[in-house]
């Protein structure tokens, strides 16, 4: 593929619509093109909105169906509901801290869940060899699971992938990203798996060349 064509694949790569071979070749290009690496990051909010649309669309709806006049209202309504849920969780946390301060030895326990009443699971791990730290939060959905990855990796630049591994040893690529040059600040990436969280045994972070970075046990 010529250089110009590689530049044009930024949007397709960020939205995850390139096939595996094309994505691998584009990741090689990203290692040598700071402009494309920056644009992939800029596509993050767009990719997130596309994921919200997919989550809000029933399975029975054809993927190429034209959007109806109520689509924007539904998306805005979902975003507003999420914002309200976040505010409620903050208020609950503040209330709990006040109770603890007044009650002394009393221990308050709060169970966290997703904005739609779906229980969220979170795992964290650091690999001693690579020095990479990662935290994964998952929420089950009817179609699989929504995955949020937070990662600290100061060994860039390099292209990386998050892999989900099932009980039978099969694998799914959840998402991919580019680590900036020597930047160990936390990076947040959104992704999705076709499996539910109880079907996933562990997660692995790897470079595009297959180098292992960190493993997180799912349970």
């Amino acid at each position: 593929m010529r250089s110009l064509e590689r530049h044009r694949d930024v949007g397709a790569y960020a939205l995850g619509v390139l096939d595996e071979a094309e994505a691998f070749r584009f990741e090689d290009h990203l290692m040598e093109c700071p402009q494309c690496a920056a644009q992939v990051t800029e596509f993050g909010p767009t990719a997130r909105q596309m994921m919200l649309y997919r989550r809000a669309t029933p399975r029975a709806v054809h993927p190429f169906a034209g959007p109806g006049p109520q689509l924007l209202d539904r998306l805005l309504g979902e975003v507003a509901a999420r914002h309200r849920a976040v505010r409620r969780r903050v208020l609950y946390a503040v209330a709990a801290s006040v109770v603890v301060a007044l009650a002394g030895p009393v221990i308050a326990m709060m169970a966290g869940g997703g904005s739609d009443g779906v229980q969220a699971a979170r795992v964290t791990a650091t690999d001693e060899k690579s020095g990479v730290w990662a935290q994964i939060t998952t929420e089950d959905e009817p179609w699989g699971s929504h995955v949020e990855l937070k990662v600290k990796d100061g060994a860039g630049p390099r292209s990386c992938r998050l892999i989900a591994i099932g009980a039978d040893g099969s694998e799914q690529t959840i998402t991919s990203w580019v680590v900036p040059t020597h930047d160990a600040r936390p990076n947040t990436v959104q992704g999705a798996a076709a499996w539910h969280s109880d079907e996933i045994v562990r997660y692995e972070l790897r470079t595009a060349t297959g180098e292992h970075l960190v493993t997180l046990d799912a349970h």
Side-chain angles (χ1 to χ4, degrees):
M1 182 184 297
R2 293 174 299 178
S3 177
L4 181 58
E5 292 173 333
R6 291 186 192 275
H7 292 315
R8 292 173 179 170
D9 274 341
V10 169
Y13 175 80
L15 296 175
V17 298
L18 291 179
D19 61 37
E20 186 172 356
E22 289 291 340
F24 186 81
R25 285 193 288 268
F26 186 76
E27 286 167 356
D28 285 341
H29 170 69
L30 282 178
M31 299 294 291
E32 302 174 353
C33 182
Q35 178 183 353
C36 283
Q39 289 178 352
V40 167
T41 302
E42 292 172 358
F43 266 99
T46 300
R48 174 62 176 163
Q49 290 301 319
M50 295 295 290
M51 184 174 295
L52 286 173
Y53 170 68
R54 181 176 65 181
R55 296 175 66 186
T57 304
R59 284 188 174 184
V61 177
H62 192 279
F64 294 105
Q70 303 303 318
L71 173 60
L72 180 58
D73 290 340
R74 290 200 304 271
L75 288 176
L76 293 176
E78 181 172 344
V79 172
R82 288 179 176 273
H83 287 172
R84 289 194 297 270
V86 170
R87 288 196 296 271
R88 286 197 299 270
R89 287 198 294 269
V90 171
L91 291 175
Y92 293 157
V94 172
S97 65
V98 172
V99 170
V100 171
L102 295 177
V106 177
I107 300 176
M109 300 184 64
M110 298 179 64
S115 60
D116 300 321
V118 180
Q119 193 74 11
R122 179 172 295 167
V123 293
T124 305
T126 302
D127 188 90
E128 295 182 359
K129 182 179 179 180
S130 68
V132 175
W133 172 90
Q135 180 183 85
I136 291 177
T137 304
T138 59
E139 291 184 16
D140 281 341
E141 303 286 355
W143 43 262
S145 56
H146 172 248
V147 181
E148 178 186 84
L149 168 67
K150 294 183 178 180
V151 57
K152 297 179 184 178
D153 181 4
R158 58 185 176 187
S159 298
C160 301
R161 295 177 180 177
L162 174 62
I163 310 294
I165 301 175
D168 60 353
S170 57
E171 300 182 354
Q172 287 185 13
T173 299
I174 295 178
T175 188
S176 58
W177 68 99
V178 177
V179 179
T181 303
H182 304 304
D183 187 352
R185 291 176 298 178
N187 186 21
T188 301
V189 185
Q190 305 289 338
W195 293 327
H196 290 104
S197 57
D198 60 357
E199 299 176 285
I200 300 174
V201 175
R202 66 183 185 277
Y203 302 92
E204 291 188 6
L205 273 66
R206 306 173 189 165
T207 66
T209 58
E211 176 187 354
H212 173 268
L213 297 178
V214 61
T215 296
L216 300 94
D217 292 329
H219 308 290

